Amino acid sequence: MTESTTSDYAPPSARIARGEIRRASVKSFGCQMNVYDSQRMADLAALEGYAEAADVENADLIVLNTCHIREKASEKIYSELGKLSELKDERRKAGRRTTLVVAGCLAQAEGAEILRRQPAVDVVVGPQSYHRLPQLLREAQVRSGVIDTDFPAEDKFSRLPPSSREAIARRGAAAFVTVQEGCDKFCSFCVVPYTRGAEASRPVGAILEEIGRLAGAGVREVTLIGQNVNAYHELDSSGRPIRLSDLIRAVAAVPGIRRIRYATSHPNDMADDLVAAHRDVEALAPFLHLPVQSGSDRVLASMNRRHRVADYLDIVARARAARPDIALSSDFIVGYPGESDPEFRATLDLVAHVRFASSYAFKYSPRPGTPAAEMEGQVADAVKASRLAELQAMLEKQRQAFNRASIGRRFDVLFEKPGRREGQVIGRSPYMQAVFAEGHLSLVGAMVEVEIIAAGPNSLQGRIVSPASQ
Ligand code: 5AD
Ligand code: SF4
């Protein structure tokens, strides 16, 4: 894949020169990549002359960047669209035009079905073609129901305008950067290979340039994101293979970048070089989000995960040997088709063995077009609900234990915003815990050494140890 970092997108300067102020609201659902894509769509809207709307009622352009991973996510969007169609109608009566765009994975998966269920929608655009949003908006001026769910040959990143300094600064000192997209693994429960398409990595030069620009505008922490981020593979300018561990080392050398995270990883791509990066690269957070989904080998095989429980435990052991203070988090699915009670208990055993700092657990949700949706032995919702409650209770206990064990430790905290009480600032530890401390507002945006002095259910209290180091 080639990627130039200068955008070939030209702003409609005539409209901006006329001083027409229009406003856009981009709302993100679902994963971190949607947050990133939403920011890039907001950048495009800004070049089209749209200022950021303070609230959706005042937006002339409304973009919902949607998720399709579970049924609940999709239904939530249809109910939101119902409300927005009423808003659009009210605005029309007041003589104001509203353009309604559905982007993201629901758009990709359902396409024209969205227009059928909600005719107020003007544009449907998938995750691989949203760089064409300006043209699609222009088309929507002259005809209703514009759909673009292509997987175009051109690389969207090279067509997107870079974020402005102001936009970067507004978004804060921690940023996401997509480095890899799509998935070729086809886990039998998952829609991602169908909605995001085949696995592709972005060129290292373009990534480093983007991160350099972020750092120059005050970003101190980057999360390298991808559906299969540890499958990242590219070539450098001299044709040498670059893997995620190499990319992490290169990002660590970008002036201003103090902390690096990456998500989400698949166990089968957790190679030794990446484990070694956890040992060697100081800026790499000692935190690993590594979804295991189930603690049963039979369920893992049926899920097409292509590894066994023992392989997962081996990675955990290697990661802990490389970086003793590393903490783990995971995703779990309960009530996968055919999951028996003993198989569910095996998941609890795995959790007891590993001890996670935080995790996400979900009830299995059949997704149209995926193999698991057609499997026999679909589990009753009541069983899923009770398994989910039991697993979540255990994960929550482990999270609280991890938080309590943080008392007395010293963490680098990246302060993000003022705290709830005056004179406090709040930020994140290396382990993603919320940490608040007495401190001046000028600390927002800085990485500061903090000693943890108390642990509440949802946040830690800290005492600032070192003066701020930008
Ligand atoms: N049902 C429930 N959870 C799912 N996930 C992905 N697909 C489904 C599904 N059909 C979960 C997995 C994945 C996370 C992002 O969402 O745990 O790791
Ligand atoms: Fe979905 Fe599996 Fe790919 Fe993750 S690895 S995105 S769960 S298909």
Side-chain angles (χ1 to χ4, degrees):
M1 193 194 295
T2 56
E3 183 174 359
S4 79
T5 44
T6 44
S7 159
D8 57 4
Y9 176 73
S13 41
R15 194 182 301 122
I16 295 170
R18 283 201 303 273
E20 279 176 31
I21 296 195
R22 298 181 302 170
R23 300 196 178 275
S25 154
V26 185
K27 184 167 175 186
S28 204
F29 296 81
C31 65
Q32 297 174 336
M33 193 173 285
N34 267 12
V35 173
Y36 176 83
D37 289 341
S38 295
Q39 292 175 347
R40 303 302 300 253
M41 282 189 271
D43 295 339
L44 279 171
L47 279 187
E48 278 289 295
Y50 288 94
E52 202 179 302
D55 45 50
V56 74
E57 283 74 21
N58 292 314
D60 306 289
L61 169 65
I62 301 172
V63 181
L64 297 189
N65 195 15
T66 63
C67 175
H68 194 53
I69 195 98
R70 285 169 289 275
E71 192 180 354
K72 238 189 191 165
S74 302
E75 284 313 314
K76 198 162 138 193
I77 287 146
Y78 280 112
S79 98
E80 179 96 10
L81 283 175
K83 286 184 226 145
L84 291 176
S85 94
E86 285 169 24
L87 173 66
K88 182 171 170 172
D89 212 39
E90 277 166 33
R91 283 174 50 95
R92 187 183 50 78
K93 286 179 194 148
R96 292 155 82 193
R97 190 191 162 106
T98 315
T99 307
L100 189 51
V101 177
V102 178
C105 289
L106 179 73
Q108 189 64 43
E110 300 204 343
E113 172 68 7
I114 296 175
L115 299 175
R116 198 190 60 74
R117 279 185 69 173
Q118 188 43 265
V121 171
D122 298 283
V123 176
V124 173
V125 59
Q128 295 309 340
S129 48
Y130 69 78
H131 56 290
R132 297 176 178 162
L133 193 58
Q135 296 97 289
L136 300 174
L137 292 176
R138 273 189 281 281
E139 272 180 55
Q141 302 281 324
V142 291
R143 66 182 179 95
S144 57
V146 176
I147 303 180
D148 187 345
T149 50
D150 280 359
F151 287 99
E154 78 258 15
D155 165 34
K156 73 171 175 241
F157 295 106
S158 66
R159 309 289 168 125
L160 290 166
S163 305
S164 68
R165 247 188 110 80
E166 298 70 42
I168 297 170
R170 223 178 19 248
R171 290 168 191 161
F176 297 131
V177 175
T178 294
V179 302
Q180 177 280 335
E181 195 172 0
C183 181
D184 295 340
K185 295 215 162 44
F186 291 92
C187 298
S188 47
F189 51 81
C190 187
V191 288
V192 164
Y194 312 95
T195 58
R196 288 272 171 181
E199 200 181 298
S201 298
R202 284 181 72 193
V204 64
I207 294 168
L208 291 177
E209 190 173 328
E210 185 171 330
I211 293 175
R213 186 175 305 111
L214 293 171
V219 166
R220 296 291 164 260
E221 174 184 304
V222 281
T223 304
L224 310 177
I225 54 174
Q227 274 84 32
N228 256 291
V229 73
N230 59 343
Y232 180 88
H233 59 98
E234 254 295 321
L235 301 175
D236 71 6
S237 49
S238 53
R240 200 175 60 92
I242 299 278
R243 296 162 57 84
L244 183 64
S245 60
D246 304 306
L247 182 64
I248 287 169
R249 287 169 202 268
V251 173
V254 174
I257 294 300
R258 301 282 310 277
R259 186 147 69 203
I260 303 166
R261 304 179 187 277
Y262 61 94
T264 293
S265 296
H266 191 288
N268 290 1
D269 293 311
M270 210 59 223
D272 285 341
D273 59 315
L274 187 52
V275 172
H278 277 285
R279 183 193 58 214
D280 302 336
V281 181
E282 213 192 306
L284 184 58
F287 188 72
L288 176 57
H289 179 61
L290 192 64
V292 65
Q293 315 296 358
S294 168
S296 149
D297 281 338
R298 194 204 62 81
V299 173
L300 287 177
S302 174
M303 286 176 164
N304 193 31
R305 293 290 289 178
R306 299 185 225 200
H307 69 80
R308 298 167 65 93
V309 172
D311 303 316
Y312 187 87
L313 298 180
D314 180 57
I315 298 166
V316 172
R318 284 191 290 129
R320 285 182 168 151
R323 181 83 207 227
D325 62 347
I326 204 164
L328 272 290
S329 83
S330 185
D331 292 343
F332 298 91
I333 294 177
V334 299
Y336 180 81
E339 184 190 64
S340 67
D341 202 55
E343 285 165 348
F344 168 64
R345 305 267 141 221
T347 299
L348 298 180
D349 291 345
L350 178 143
V351 172
H353 183 91
V354 174
R355 286 170 291 110
F356 291 94
S358 64
S359 281
Y360 302 93
F362 310 100
K363 287 196 266 185
Y364 169 69
S365 168
R367 308 311 293 131
T370 59
E374 308 298 322
M375 284 180 188
E376 296 196 346
Q378 299 288 329
V379 174
D381 193 61
V383 175
K384 287 183 195 170
S386 81
R387 287 181 187 168
L388 183 68
E390 192 172 351
L391 176 57
Q392 282 181 329
M394 188 169 182
L395 291 168
E396 180 57 15
K397 258 195 187 155
Q398 293 193 345
R399 191 176 75 86
Q400 298 298 346
F402 183 79
N403 287 349
R404 276 195 308 277
S406 301
I407 297 171
R409 293 181 68 183
R410 287 183 175 198
F411 293 151
D412 281 337
V413 172
L414 179 61
F415 284 113
E416 291 173 351
K417 55 186 181 190
R420 251 181 298 157
R421 283 213 230 112
E422 215 180 304
Q424 283 181 347
V425 277
I426 188 155
R428 300 243 161 227
S429 77
Y431 303 108
M432 301 292 288
Q433 299 147 299
V435 180
F436 67 91
E438 303 292 320
H440 194 261
L441 261 185
S442 60
L443 292 177
V444 170
M447 186 89 87
V448 180
E449 193 182 3
V450 167
E451 182 180 328
I452 304 304
I453 54 175
N458 292 311
S459 59
L460 304 178
Q461 185 179 359
R463 182 180 61 79
I464 289 169
V465 178
S466 75
S469 66
Q470 292 285 330

